[in-house]
Amino acid sequence: MAQSTMGRKASPTVQGLEQLSAVDRTRDVVVKYGFIAVTVLLFCFFLLTEPAFGSSSALFSLLKATTVTAILGLGVMFTMVVGGLDLSIGSTAGLAVQVAAMTMVFYNLTGVTAVVAVLACGLIVGLLNAFLIVVCKIPDLLATLGVMFVIQGAKLIPVSGQSVASGMVLRDGGTAPGRFDPAFLKIDRGFVGPVPLPVVIMLVLVVLSWIVLSRTSWGRILYAIGANPEAARLAGVRVGLHRGAAYVVSALFASVGGLILVSRIGQGDVNAGASSLLEAVAVALVGTSVLGMAKPNAWGTLLGAVLIGIVLTGMTMSGAQYYHQDTAKGIVLIVALLFSFSLSRRKVRYSPAT
């Protein structure tokens, strides 16, 4: 009789655990697939309201428009993996724009030379960030913030604050001898079959980033550093070296994004890259919510860039005013962060550096 009474008393607890488990399972499904569902729903909404949105030209234009943001987001992603954040990535992309334009317009050199010069400058910026963070022990945010301001000012000095364009008047009264190399402009305007070349570059970098982070020991070490740098150090990992390498990779990705950007606009715009920082950080953060991974990852970053591209392209085609776009991007970011931080039961593997 006592055993029967105990069994009846235990049954509500069992039922409660079953209900809790059902709630958790539902929440896990929402966290894992919710963001992808939001992306698909938004795509279908714009497809129904704007039929031209689904044309192949519109889709390729959408992907092409997201390339710079996605590539810079990948750079930010690498620094987030090690628990940091690169605030200089937008200004590094802007520096790439100026260096490429000056190389061809001021010095009348080839497009290949411009590419080499841009990547070299990106490497220097990455090494500078790594030196300040690893050797000088300056917190990531403060170090990259300082570098951001240095670059923003330094890139204007050689051009006296002017945008660089073919045929411009120089400070000595002469005319710039060079022009943009037509082969260089194909970085943005070329195609691989029907696919724009910038989209191909973006996808290649996404796949390489995914392979490095998910299929190599170096990627696992980076994630380990981001999760617990002290434990990684005790395990024999050279934490400083790997953290510094992440910032070098970030700067190189920013340089590639800058190359695409300057070949797109066809001049050394002094304001290029000014808004890229916030967008790059946004897509990298959005990427943490994809498939409930709760950590920075390459495919999530790409999906974040595509989602923002869908929103902005759809709003533009529907005639929405440009000043609504920042609000839309902010809403997308907040929704993504709800999936990552509020709904998910997994701890997000990113903590800002201090």
Side-chain angles (χ1 to χ4, degrees):
M1 187 71 176
Q3 291 178 350
S4 176
T5 303
M6 290 177 63
R8 286 196 298 270
K9 288 182 179 180
S11 61
T13 303
V14 173
Q15 291 177 356
L17 291 174
E18 291 177 349
Q19 292 175 355
L20 180 62
S21 178
V23 171
D24 287 341
R25 287 197 298 269
T26 302
R27 183 169 61 180
D28 289 343
V29 170
V30 172
V31 169
K32 189 170 184 179
Y33 300 108
F35 195 74
I36 295 177
V38 169
T39 304
V40 173
L41 288 174
L42 279 174
F43 180 82
C44 293
F45 170 78
F46 287 121
L47 187 62
L48 292 174
T49 57
E50 300 291 335
F53 185 81
S55 65
S56 59
S57 59
L59 292 177
F60 280 133
S61 296
L62 185 156
L63 291 174
K64 184 177 177 181
T66 64
T67 51
V68 175
T69 299
I71 291 172
L72 267 61
L74 291 173
V76 171
M77 174 199 69
F78 271 93
T79 61
M80 287 175 58
V81 166
V82 296
L85 194 64
D86 185 0
L87 297 183
S88 67
I89 196 159
S91 58
T92 304
L95 176 65
V97 171
Q98 287 292 83
V99 170
M102 289 175 59
T103 301
M104 290 180 285
V105 175
F106 280 11
Y107 303 109
N108 198 22
L109 298 174
T110 65
V112 174
T113 306
V115 171
V116 173
V118 165
L119 294 178
C121 287
L123 179 61
I124 292 171
V125 172
L127 291 173
L128 176 60
N129 280 330
F131 175 77
L132 294 175
I133 294 167
V134 176
V135 179
C136 299
K137 307 297 183 184
I138 300 176
D140 305 54
L141 295 180
L142 298 180
T144 56
L145 180 65
V147 172
M148 179 188 76
F149 284 122
V150 169
I151 294 174
Q152 285 179 344
K155 72 179 184 179
L156 301 180
I157 295 174
V159 296
S160 301
Q162 301 180 52
S163 295
V164 179
S166 302
M168 68 178 295
V169 178
L170 303 177
R171 283 183 292 183
D172 60 5
T175 302
R179 63 186 181 90
F180 274 79
D181 188 339
F184 179 87
L185 295 176
K186 288 183 180 180
I187 294 176
D188 180 72
R189 303 171 191 181
F191 289 83
V192 177
V195 184
L197 183 56
V199 176
V200 175
I201 295 172
M202 175 184 70
L203 293 177
V204 168
L205 292 178
V206 169
V207 172
L208 287 176
S209 299
W210 170 71
I211 291 173
V212 167
L213 291 178
S214 303
R215 296 292 186 269
T216 68
S217 59
W218 187 59
R220 290 189 287 271
I221 288 172
L222 293 182
Y223 277 122
I225 292 172
N228 192 329
E230 185 59 29
R233 184 178 292 106
L234 293 175
V237 174
R238 299 177 65 182
V239 173
L241 178 63
H242 291 289
R243 288 184 67 206
Y247 282 89
V248 172
V249 171
S250 177
L252 290 174
F253 273 62
S255 297
V256 174
L259 286 170
I260 295 174
L261 184 58
V262 67
S263 63
R264 179 172 300 171
I265 61 181
Q267 66 173 355
D269 189 344
V270 293
N271 295 316
S275 63
S276 299
L277 168 62
L278 297 181
E279 294 177 353
V281 172
V283 300
L285 286 171
V286 165
T288 63
S289 67
V290 174
L291 294 177
M293 297 185 71
K295 63 181 181 181
N297 64 93
W299 294 111
T301 300
L302 174 62
L303 183 61
V306 170
L307 175 58
I308 291 178
I310 289 173
V311 172
L312 298 185
T313 302
M315 292 178 65
T316 300
M317 294 181 70
S318 62
Q321 297 295 330
Y322 71 91
Y323 44 77
H324 293 150
Q325 295 185 357
D326 284 341
T327 300
K329 286 188 286 188
I331 292 173
V332 169
L333 178 59
I334 290 173
V335 170
L337 296 181
L338 286 173
F339 283 120
S340 291
F341 291 90
S342 299
L343 297 178
S344 177
R345 290 183 297 147
R346 298 176 61 185
K347 182 180 179 181
V348 177
R349 296 185 62 181
Y350 163 66
S351 55
T354 55

